[in-house]
Each structure stands twice: as structure tokens, then as C-alpha cells.
Amino acid sequence: MNTISAAPASTAPFTAAHQRTVVDALRAVLPEQCVLFNEEDTRPYECDGLAAYAQLPMVVVLPLNEAHVIAVLKVCRDLSVRVVPRGAGTGLSGGALPIADGIVLSTARLNKIVKVDAYARTAVVQPGVRNLAISEAVASLGLYYAPDPSSQIACTIGGNVAENSGGVHCLKYGLTVHNVMRVRVVTIEGDVIELGNAALDAPGLDLLSVFVGSEGMLGIVTEVTVKLIPKPKLARVILASFDDVVKGGNAVASVIAAGIIPAGLEMMDKTSTRMVEPFVKAGYDIDAEAILLCESDGIPEEVEEEIARMTEVLKHSGATAIAVSQDEAERLKFWSGRKNAFPAAGRISPDYYCIDGTIPRRRLAEVLQGIAQMEVKYGLRCANVFHAGDGNLHPLILFDANQEGEFHRAELFGAEILEMCVAFGGTITGEHGVGLEKINQMCVQFSRAEMDAFLSVKRAFDPLSLLNPDKAIPTLQRCAEYGKMHVKRGMLKFPDLPRF
Amino acid sequence: MNTISAAPASTAPFTAAHQRTVVDALRAVLPEQCVLFNEEDTRPYECDGLAAYAQLPMVVVLPLNEAHVIAVLKVCRDLSVRVVPRGAGTGLSGGALPIADGIVLSTARLNKIVKVDAYARTAVVQPGVRNLAISEAVASLGLYYAPDPSSQIACTIGGNVAENSGGVHCLKYGLTVHNVMRVRVVTIEGDVIELGNAALDAPGLDLLSVFVGSEGMLGIVTEVTVKLIPKPKLARVILASFDDVVKGGNAVASVIAAGIIPAGLEMMDKTSTRMVEPFVKAGYDIDAEAILLCESDGIPEEVEEEIARMTEVLKHSGATAIAVSQDEAERLKFWSGRKNAFPAAGRISPDYYCIDGTIPRRRLAEVLQGIAQMEVKYGLRCANVFHAGDGNLHPLILFDANQEGEFHRAELFGAEILEMCVAFGGTITGEHGVGLEKINQMCVQFSRAEMDAFLSVKRAFDPLSLLNPDKAIPTLQRCAEYGKMHVKRGMLKFPDLPRF
């Protein structure tokens, strides 16, 4: 039976003398209040949104400017201290989990909006600026920043860059990587480099795209230039019901196949709508096996045409009921259920575990059937919420951490879902990153040669592996221990998992 | 006076015995007709579209399948032979210039369309498939492949991946990197890796984006999965005249500032229109100082609204005449002048040198003034053709290679244009790549730390530097010899250039 957890090998404890050396070196370059090391100060940094794993760091630093970041990294390099960067700590894959004898570098105080250029439609911001704060700052110009992760009230642009965050509108407007033009980065050597620029293309290797989504392993961002886009004049959303999840899944594929790129295309199963409706009162049909939310935005004529075409496709696909939002208030009401699905899970289960994998859209129905079988196998319920348009699944596995073994079963259930995604030709993360959570599944997704390519690029930036080590890219040793086969091209060489 | 040319240091000659060893090793793994080494066979490969530089290679190989590519690279690694990959040889920056004692690996015979998936809207093709052949193959499905470099009849998707090619429609539809989902690559170790996949996001580092535009320095592509998009229902183009290039430049910025992303937004100056109109009869106003072509595509209502809005912006910006294409034939006629600008240059000048830099759109007028001053300084005329919407300049420097010193002056003129682009906050390439041509200007564009980052990634893939060495990324020694300052953030630390 394979029971290897994603949990890191226990990190080395540290001596008080070593901590003192590091703290003194950091205090020599940072104001005193920017260096935290007492347990009551470091406790808030012990975990991120994947709260099942927690680890107190030796020290937390809160640099106030780029010069501080440079100074901190030089200290860390000189003393061989490992660094875990952290934005708002809302990440769901454990990417900001501290290391016992390492420091956490929080970008929370690098929170200035440096410049807004309405003419070029760009904003230059520091990494600690909250995602939503960018859109708020430019709202009066009729502009906004498109990527909208569920955590957008709290999460920061630096964290978004680290995880290549998405959101419900990324099918049409892209992920973070599609909306960031330039980053300013401090390397572990203390050099400042700029990756990307304002042009559509750039000479040299496209290191901006490598950096976005690199989960803090290549450098520390000190400035980000983001694209701003005009707010659409109108947005309307269709709420459609289906008496069969397979029909709902096929409807998603048919909308895309009809040549439509909806502004949002979400699916929820009956477990999810029944979980959320009593709480949010979004108007969902709780007798439907699945509901779809299909949004169109743009100029009014375009929206009307697209809504009409999507309505027709949904009817042909067997929708049993269709409602179209008649005004902005109703549009927001229809979305409110989807947007509150995660908090609603807390009403029916003590704990939940949000999974994040992708699949080819046409395999949606099969994947749902697979998850249903796993519910029986693991003895746990699962509510299915999907960014269906881009094939990004967010199954919520419901469990009770106080019941012996339930968390471990939930972990194995999640791992099996991700590995099924790979077996169906998909991937182990759509937008939450690999972090610590999915590090074993990287062994299933990639071949040894592909992993070597990742590791060699990591070493090119950080030869001593001081920056967020042991996250996102597994060592070959870890993969050997995990012992599962690399699966490729949707071939079903799906390994057996333990049964309970 | 700084007269360092982009020309490579003379490459080592080779002995007949060495050539025989390499040919024998290659013939042991490839059919005889796939290994060329007689001068009459290798001559066609001596240069690419930057014909000012030519160099016979020691050997040319034409693999027929991926197994051949793997075998060739293993031979090259074992014998330490350098490899220059080549698509159709239409590149304009010398990226496929051979090395005297190296081999050219042509992907011309890897030319199969492997699979078209109309449902997922993707095509899997081998690298030697021509750009236009993809669109032709899927035309009956109502789909096409968006990036449309001027050479699209001849250029191949493998070359497009190497150079991250653009085209007149890339403002709206993106460059190659935005339209490729996955590449299958053979590394210099002979490993096959796949970068990217069908999902919007992918776990691990985004090495697909690094690979696209890496100019053959990281590996050899054997398969590319491209996105296909639905052909727009309607396209119309506005042809607008201006009595002043500054007004034309400002009109471009105003269209974008109005929140419109045209399907194409091109500018030509009077030298260009007068060069092309007698030849093509596109209907251009040859008394105008500049003309703009602004295209809209989409559903008819959207096109009508966008055409109306752009017309209004252009009038406000001082257009002296405006015509809108009334049917598809007229639309193609309006475009024909722009599309034939390069061949038309041959009618008024024995030779021309096409430059490729980018600038922030708002600096267009200043850059035009700078180029006009350089025409006087270098005693050469320049016709200006721009992908204006994305700030990508294609000045055509007109010269006569048979006049002593004219080519050298044209080279220095081109270098000064590129360095002015950097000084104004732009870049040294928009879509043609760095290759050999712009390798000196890389020293002006990037800091030493940034170049180190590029070189370390290159080494991560190709530690022995066998794959297209000395292209695209200059050595630190070359930069030291070139001796120009790195310019950053549009600060005008623009170095003096020699005067004639």
C-alpha cells in the first residue's frame, strides 16, 4: 500500500545561536520591526491556505523596499539560509509553507501602486498590492485588471505571479501570465533583473513566462507591470439546468465547439448546488443534476448575439431550464452561489479539501463518473465545482479532521483525482500551483527528462537551492520513493491505489 | 569609431578527414540521401533571408522522422559537432547562418500534418509544415491558424516557433507563443521532452514559452500543437491619409487609447507608398505623408461599430481622407500594398535592409524624426513600414551593395535605429528574432545580470553549447568588445555613433 504523503521530510531544527546569528545579520540591514523571530510573532506565518500543513519558521522578514530585499537575500546567501517567499498566504497548495530553519520573506509591506498609465493601459505595482486593489485604483478610468481568483480581496499580485493565478474569467481573459508584461526581480545573488517589457515580443529568452508560476523558486519580485483592460459595457449570464451531469459536460464542450469563448463557463453538480443554495439563495435549481453558468460580455449587440447562440446550443444539449440575467443585480445573484461555494462547504462538513486539476473538456463526463466511484472507495463525499470552460476541476472533498484517518483518506482521494486527470490527458494543476500539495503527482505528470529540464532551469537561477526549495519540482529521489509510473498522452497506465 | 559588425568570428575550417568521420557517423543512422556534403548540395543552405552573411556548412542533414533527429543529435554530441537548425530559411536575422565546421539540420522533410481536432480546435503538425498549409488544411472546417508572417507561403511552423513569428494580425491574435500549445523537442542529449499541453495552465515551469523564440538554441522541435481559431464572419479595413507623420503616429496611439484592439493597424510613410503604389495599385494616396490601415473583424454588428468608432478617432486625429473597404475584394486591394512593400523596395533600390525594432506607441513620431536625421547622417534613404498598433517598426534601408561601403553604412544605420528603439523604452526585435544580426544590440538592451540569466538557461539545456551557438545571446566578451552602454527604462543614455 502506497501511503507516501506530500509532507516534507522533517526539516532540521536550529540552535538558538544560529537563530541569533541570522537575526543579527538581518537586523544589521533592516529596521528592527521588520525582523520577527519570537513565536507569537512568527505563528501567523506557519501555514498558508493549505492549513493541513504547518511549520513555524525560524525568522520572518518584512522588507519595506527593494534595497531591503537585496540585503536580505545577500544575508541568506552568505549564511546559506533557505528562504520561503510569501504574499498574502492565501495559496491553496502549500507553496508558502515555512522551513523550520529558514526564513519567510513576506512581501506584504511592498504595497504601493507605483504608477498607472491610462494611455498605455498598464499599472506598475509592488508585489504586496492586493489583486482587487488594482482594479479599484483604476475603476475611475473605466479599466480593470482581469484575472480574478476567488481570493482576490486578499491575495496579492506577487502571489498571483508566483502561482500564475486564474479565476472564473480566465477562459476569455487569460491567466496571470497573459496579463503581466514585466516583472522586476531580485535574484539570490542580489542582482536586480527585469524580465519582459511593454512590447508584444521581446528579444532574448522569454524568462518572464518562466518566472510567472515559478512558485518563488527563481527570485523575489519587487515590481510588476500589469495590463489593464477596458470594462465591458455589458455582461449577462445564462443559468442552465441539466437532469444528467453527462449532458451538462457535453453542453460545455458544445458551446466551445460552436466557436464561442464565453467570458465565464462554470459547472456545479447537485451536491454543490444543494450545499450552497440554502446559504446564498442564488436561485439555483437544486433538483438539477448539474447547472451551468455561461457569461457573455462586450458591446450590447455582441452580448445579445452570443447569449442567443449559447441558449440555442444549451437547449440542443438537453438543458431542462434556462434563465438569462435581466440586469446587473440578477447577474451578480447568479454568480453569488458559485463564488461562495467554498465557504458554503463549511456549512455541511467540518473540513473540506479543494482539488485543482485539469482535463480535456470532452472527458468531463468520464471524470465525474470516476470521482463518483472514488467517493465510494474512500467513503467520503465530494462536491464538484468546475471552471468547466477551460476544463479546470475544483472537486471539494468533504471530511472531518477529528475522525481518525479521514484527512489521510481525503489526501489519497485528492491524489487519485489528480492522477486520473493525467491519465485522461490533463494536468495536476489548473491555477493553484503545485507547491507542496501536488509534488508527488509531478512524478506522474512528467518524464525524468522533463523533470531534469525543470531542475536545470531552477539551478540556473538558484544553484544552492535556497529559494523555496523542495516545492513544486520533486527531486528524483522523491519520485523514486513515490514509485508511480509517469503517464503520458492520456494513455491509461493508471496505477492502482490502495482500497479501504 | 565603432565599426564592429555583427559578423561572427571566422569559424574554424575543417579537415577532409573530420568531414568524412562526421558524414560516416551520420550515414550510419540516416539514409544516404539525407546527408549532404558536396558543395553543390550544401550551397543552397549557405544563408537565410539575411543574405548579406553566407557560410557553407560542412554537412547538411535532412531527417525524415523523430528517430533520425535523435540519432543526428547523438552523433553531434558524441563528436562535439555544432548544429544549426533550419526551417525554410526565410528568417531575416541570420538565425540559420551555418557554421563552417558544423552541420545544418533542416526540418524541411518533417512536413506531415499529424492530426486535426476540429472539436478541440487544435492541429498537431511536424515542424517542416508551412505556416499557410495549416490554414489551407483546416479551411473547410471554418478554422485557421492566426499568426501570418509576410513569408507565410514559404516559412514553416518550426521556424515560426524558433523566431516567435508575428504578422499583421498579431496585435489582436498574438504571436506564435500565444498560438502554440505544446512542442515536442529532442534535446542535445537525445531525450524527447514535451513542453506545454492542451490546458490553459500547466504545472512546472513554463518552458514552452522559453522554447518559443529561443532561435534553435535549446533543442530541435519534432512536433507542434497549434491553436486553430474560427475565421471571422466579416473583416473591413479603413485606409486613412495624413498630411503629417506625427499626426499619423498620434492617431495610432489614439485608436488604442480609445479601447479598440484592431485586427490590424499598419502605417506606411510617403517613401513607402510611392515605392509600392505604381507597382501594386492598391489605391494609396501618394501625396499623403503617411497612411494608416485599420482593420476590424468579427460579427457584422461588432465590425460596423468598431469601424464607426475608429473612423471618428481618425477624423479627430486629423485624417485628410478616409476610405472603408466595401467588399472583400477591396479589402484585399487595400492590404496588397502593405503586403508587397518588401518586394516593391526592389523596384527602386538594388538592395534593401529590413529593420525590426519596437517602441512604445506614443514615441512613434519622435522615432520617425530620428530616422529622418539618420538618413542624412548615413546618406541612405529609408522607407518606413510599421506594424504601428503594436509599435513594431520595419524601416527598409535602401542601399546598393555594389557601391563601396554602402552595405556597411546600412548596417550601422540599422544598428542605430535599434539602439534608438531601446533608448526610447522599446526593444531590438519585434518578430524577426536576434539571430546574428542584432547580437551586438543585445548588449545595449540587457544588463549583465539579465544576460547571465539567459546564458545560464542556455547552459541548462545545452551545456556544451552545440546548438546554434553564438546566435541570439552574446557572450560577455562580445559585449565588452562592442563597448556600448546598457540602456534601461527609456533613459536617454544613447551612445554616440560614428558620423560620416
Side-chain angles (χ1 to χ4, degrees):
Chain A
M1 186 172 117
N2 190 324
T3 55
I4 288 190
S5 154
S10 64
T11 45
F14 54 88
T15 63
H18 178 57
Q19 184 185 40
R20 174 51 53 196
T21 305
V22 174
V23 168
D24 287 348
L26 291 167
R27 283 198 166 173
V29 293
L30 257 61
E32 193 175 307
Q33 78 278 13
C34 298
V35 183
L36 314 177
F37 56 94
N38 292 318
E39 189 182 323
E40 65 270 26
D41 297 327
T42 58
R43 179 66 67 194
Y45 298 89
E46 69 175 355
C47 69
D48 61 12
L50 185 70
Y53 295 111
Q55 170 63 58
L56 268 186
M58 179 172 68
V59 182
V60 175
V61 294
L62 294 147
L64 304 177
N65 53 48
E66 185 178 87
H68 285 172
V69 175
I70 294 170
V72 167
L73 292 187
K74 284 184 173 168
V75 165
C76 290
R77 193 200 47 193
D78 291 348
L79 300 177
S80 291
V81 174
R82 294 178 290 175
V83 184
V84 175
R86 178 187 166 104
T90 55
L92 294 170
S93 58
L97 183 78
I99 297 167
D101 61 350
I103 73 163
V104 166
L105 190 162
S106 165
T107 55
R109 295 200 192 159
L110 296 165
N111 61 358
K112 288 181 198 63
I113 294 179
V114 178
K115 187 179 161 191
V116 172
D117 184 341
Y119 198 65
R121 297 220 298 263
T122 57
V124 179
V125 303
Q126 291 185 333
V129 172
R130 289 177 304 108
N131 173 299
L132 195 60
I134 302 174
S135 293
E136 288 168 353
V138 299
S140 63
L141 302 168
L143 299 172
Y144 77 113
Y145 174 66
D148 58 343
S150 299
S151 56
Q152 71 178 140
I153 295 175
C155 68
T156 62
I157 191 73
N160 292 178
V161 166
E163 301 300 326
N164 191 17
S165 306
V168 297
H169 291 93
C170 66
L171 173 62
K172 181 167 178 179
Y173 294 105
L175 299 160
T176 302
V177 71
H178 306 110
N179 290 278
V180 163
M181 308 182 76
R182 184 191 66 104
V183 292
R184 195 170 157 91
V185 172
V186 181
T187 70
I188 190 67
E189 307 294 329
D191 289 328
V192 177
I193 60 178
E194 295 198 358
L195 308 177
N197 59 50
L200 196 55
D201 191 19
L205 297 173
D206 181 6
L207 299 185
L208 173 62
S209 297
V210 184
F211 195 88
V212 177
S214 64
E215 308 198 24
M217 296 184 304
L218 305 183
I220 306 292
V221 183
T222 56
E223 212 173 84
V224 184
T225 303
V226 299
K227 288 183 202 168
L228 304 172
I229 61 174
K231 271 184 282 194
K233 286 188 189 149
L234 178 66
R236 297 184 74 190
V237 65
I238 303 172
L239 174 58
S241 306
F242 289 85
D243 58 9
D244 177 357
V245 289
V246 175
K247 285 184 197 167
N250 290 337
V252 168
S254 298
V255 167
I256 303 293
I260 302 165
I261 303 290
L265 180 45
E266 299 285 314
M267 183 168 171
M268 294 171 74
D269 70 0
K270 191 153 114 180
T271 308
S272 303
T273 54
R274 293 201 164 190
M275 180 171 82
V276 81
E277 183 60 25
F279 173 45
V280 178
K281 309 211 187 322
Y284 295 167
D285 176 357
I286 56 169
D287 293 321
E289 289 299 321
I291 64 155
L292 292 186
L293 288 162
C294 310
E295 182 152 293
S296 173
D297 66 11
I299 62 169
E301 295 83 353
E302 192 183 2
V303 172
E304 296 319 319
E305 198 208 284
E306 211 165 77
I307 290 285
R309 287 178 63 207
M310 290 199 292
T311 301
E312 197 177 333
V313 172
L314 294 170
K315 278 184 185 160
H316 270 281
S317 304
T320 52
I322 286 182
V324 182
S325 65
Q326 294 304 312
D327 54 33
E328 185 63 8
E330 193 174 30
R331 186 180 79 88
L332 295 175
K333 187 181 107 176
F334 285 173
W335 275 113
S336 64
R338 169 63 187 84
K339 294 242 178 187
N340 288 293
F342 293 10
R347 286 173 45 94
I348 64 161
S349 174
D351 299 286
Y352 67 92
Y353 179 28
C354 174
I355 309 302
D356 165 51
T358 75
I359 50 162
R361 281 181 292 260
R362 66 182 183 284
R363 312 299 290 269
L364 198 52
E366 290 163 274
V367 167
L368 284 167
Q369 287 158 355
I371 292 176
Q373 286 166 11
M374 291 181 216
E375 289 188 80
V376 178
K377 172 172 160 184
Y378 292 105
L380 294 172
R381 282 179 305 158
C382 182
N384 289 301
V385 179
F386 300 155
H387 301 310
D390 47 323
N392 185 188
L393 316 180
H394 287 323
L396 298 174
I397 299 172
L398 308 175
F399 69 98
D400 181 351
N402 289 324
Q403 297 297 316
E404 176 76 23
E406 281 213 2
F407 170 65
H408 185 58
R409 291 217 305 282
E411 263 200 315
L412 292 173
F413 189 166
E416 184 165 351
I417 292 175
L418 294 179
E419 291 167 26
M420 176 173 64
C421 289
V422 177
F424 279 128
T427 74
I428 60 168
T429 174
E431 55 181 8
H432 296 172
V434 173
L436 177 72
E437 179 199 22
K438 298 163 196 153
I439 197 155
N440 288 332
Q441 281 67 50
M442 286 290 282
C443 313
V444 180
Q445 178 93 62
F446 294 106
S447 71
R448 173 153 184 163
E450 286 157 350
M451 212 81 80
D452 278 345
F454 292 145
L455 287 169
S456 64
V457 171
K458 162 69 171 165
R459 276 193 298 268
F461 278 85
D462 178 24
L464 302 174
S465 204
L466 296 176
L467 290 168
N468 217 10
D470 305 324
K471 306 274 173 69
I473 307 174
T475 58
L476 299 177
Q477 186 192 347
R478 177 183 275 275
C479 286
E481 284 172 6
Y482 192 59
K484 284 201 190 145
M485 292 293 295
H486 158 62
V487 178
K488 202 71 197 185
R489 287 188 171 244
M491 313 252 287
L492 274 165
K493 292 186 287 183
F494 190 42
D496 281 334
L497 269 177
R499 303 208 165 247
F500 293 87
Chain B
M1 186 170 117
N2 189 326
T3 56
I4 288 189
S5 155
S10 65
T11 45
F14 54 88
T15 63
H18 178 57
Q19 186 185 38
R20 174 51 52 196
T21 304
V22 174
V23 168
D24 286 349
L26 290 167
R27 283 196 166 175
V29 293
L30 257 61
E32 193 175 308
Q33 77 277 13
C34 297
V35 183
L36 313 178
F37 57 93
N38 293 318
E39 189 182 324
E40 66 270 26
D41 296 327
T42 58
R43 179 66 67 193
Y45 298 90
E46 70 175 355
C47 70
D48 62 10
L50 185 71
Y53 296 112
Q55 170 64 58
L56 269 185
M58 179 171 70
V59 182
V60 175
V61 294
L62 294 147
L64 304 178
N65 54 49
E66 186 178 88
H68 285 172
V69 174
I70 294 169
V72 167
L73 292 186
K74 283 185 172 167
V75 165
C76 290
R77 192 200 48 193
D78 290 347
L79 300 177
S80 289
V81 174
R82 293 178 290 175
V83 184
V84 175
R86 177 186 166 104
T90 55
L92 293 170
S93 59
L97 183 77
I99 298 167
D101 61 349
I103 74 163
V104 166
L105 189 163
S106 165
T107 55
R109 294 199 192 160
L110 296 165
N111 60 358
K112 288 181 199 63
I113 294 179
V114 178
K115 186 179 162 192
V116 172
D117 185 341
Y119 198 65
R121 296 219 299 264
T122 57
V124 178
V125 302
Q126 291 185 334
V129 171
R130 290 175 306 109
N131 174 298
L132 195 59
I134 302 173
S135 293
E136 288 168 353
V138 299
S140 64
L141 302 168
L143 300 171
Y144 76 113
Y145 174 65
D148 57 343
S150 299
S151 57
Q152 71 178 142
I153 294 175
C155 68
T156 62
I157 191 72
N160 292 179
V161 166
E163 300 301 327
N164 192 15
S165 306
V168 298
H169 290 93
C170 67
L171 173 63
K172 182 166 177 179
Y173 295 105
L175 298 160
T176 302
V177 70
H178 305 112
N179 290 277
V180 163
M181 307 182 78
R182 184 193 66 107
V183 292
R184 194 171 157 91
V185 171
V186 180
T187 69
I188 190 67
E189 306 295 330
D191 289 328
V192 176
I193 60 177
E194 296 198 358
L195 307 177
N197 60 50
L200 196 56
D201 191 20
L205 298 171
D206 180 7
L207 299 185
L208 173 63
S209 297
V210 183
F211 195 88
V212 176
S214 64
E215 307 199 24
M217 296 184 305
L218 305 184
I220 306 292
V221 184
T222 55
E223 211 173 85
V224 184
T225 303
V226 299
K227 286 183 205 171
L228 304 173
I229 61 173
K231 271 184 282 194
K233 286 189 189 148
L234 178 67
R236 298 184 72 190
V237 65
I238 303 172
L239 174 59
S241 305
F242 289 86
D243 58 10
D244 177 358
V245 287
V246 175
K247 285 185 196 165
N250 291 336
V252 168
S254 298
V255 168
I256 302 293
I260 303 166
I261 303 290
L265 181 44
E266 298 285 315
M267 183 168 170
M268 295 171 73
D269 70 0
K270 191 153 113 182
T271 307
S272 303
T273 56
R274 292 198 164 192
M275 182 171 82
V276 80
E277 184 60 24
F279 172 47
V280 178
K281 308 210 186 325
Y284 294 167
D285 176 357
I286 58 170
D287 293 321
E289 289 299 321
I291 64 155
L292 292 187
L293 288 163
C294 310
E295 182 153 292
S296 173
D297 67 13
I299 63 168
E301 295 82 353
E302 192 184 0
V303 172
E304 296 319 320
E305 198 207 285
E306 211 165 76
I307 290 285
R309 287 178 63 205
M310 290 199 292
T311 302
E312 197 177 333
V313 172
L314 293 169
K315 280 185 183 158
H316 270 282
S317 304
T320 53
I322 286 181
V324 182
S325 65
Q326 294 304 310
D327 54 32
E328 185 63 9
E330 192 173 33
R331 186 181 78 88
L332 295 175
K333 188 182 104 173
F334 285 172
W335 276 113
S336 64
R338 169 64 187 85
K339 293 245 178 186
N340 287 292
F342 293 10
R347 286 171 46 92
I348 64 162
S349 173
D351 299 285
Y352 68 91
Y353 179 28
C354 173
I355 310 302
D356 165 50
T358 75
I359 52 164
R361 281 182 290 261
R362 66 182 182 284
R363 311 300 290 268
L364 197 53
E366 290 164 273
V367 167
L368 283 167
Q369 287 159 355
I371 291 175
Q373 287 165 12
M374 291 181 215
E375 289 187 83
V376 177
K377 172 172 160 186
Y378 293 105
L380 294 171
R381 282 180 304 159
C382 183
N384 289 301
V385 179
F386 299 154
H387 299 311
D390 47 323
N392 185 191
L393 315 180
H394 287 323
L396 298 174
I397 299 172
L398 308 175
F399 69 99
D400 181 352
N402 289 322
Q403 298 296 318
E404 176 76 23
E406 279 212 4
F407 170 63
H408 186 57
R409 291 219 302 285
E411 262 201 316
L412 291 172
F413 188 166
E416 184 165 348
I417 291 175
L418 294 179
E419 290 168 27
M420 177 173 65
C421 288
V422 178
F424 279 129
T427 75
I428 61 168
T429 176
E431 55 181 7
H432 297 170
V434 173
L436 177 72
E437 178 200 23
K438 298 162 195 153
I439 197 155
N440 288 332
Q441 281 67 49
M442 286 290 283
C443 312
V444 179
Q445 178 93 62
F446 293 105
S447 71
R448 173 152 185 163
E450 285 157 350
M451 213 81 79
D452 279 344
F454 291 147
L455 288 169
S456 63
V457 172
K458 161 70 170 162
R459 277 193 297 269
F461 279 85
D462 178 24
L464 302 174
S465 205
L466 296 176
L467 289 167
N468 217 9
D470 305 324
K471 305 276 173 66
I473 307 173
T475 57
L476 298 176
Q477 186 192 346
R478 176 183 276 275
C479 286
E481 285 171 7
Y482 191 61
K484 287 205 187 137
M485 293 293 295
H486 158 61
V487 178
K488 202 71 199 186
R489 283 188 174 244
M491 312 252 286
L492 274 165
K493 292 186 285 182
F494 188 41
D496 282 333
L497 269 178
R499 306 212 162 243
F500 292 86

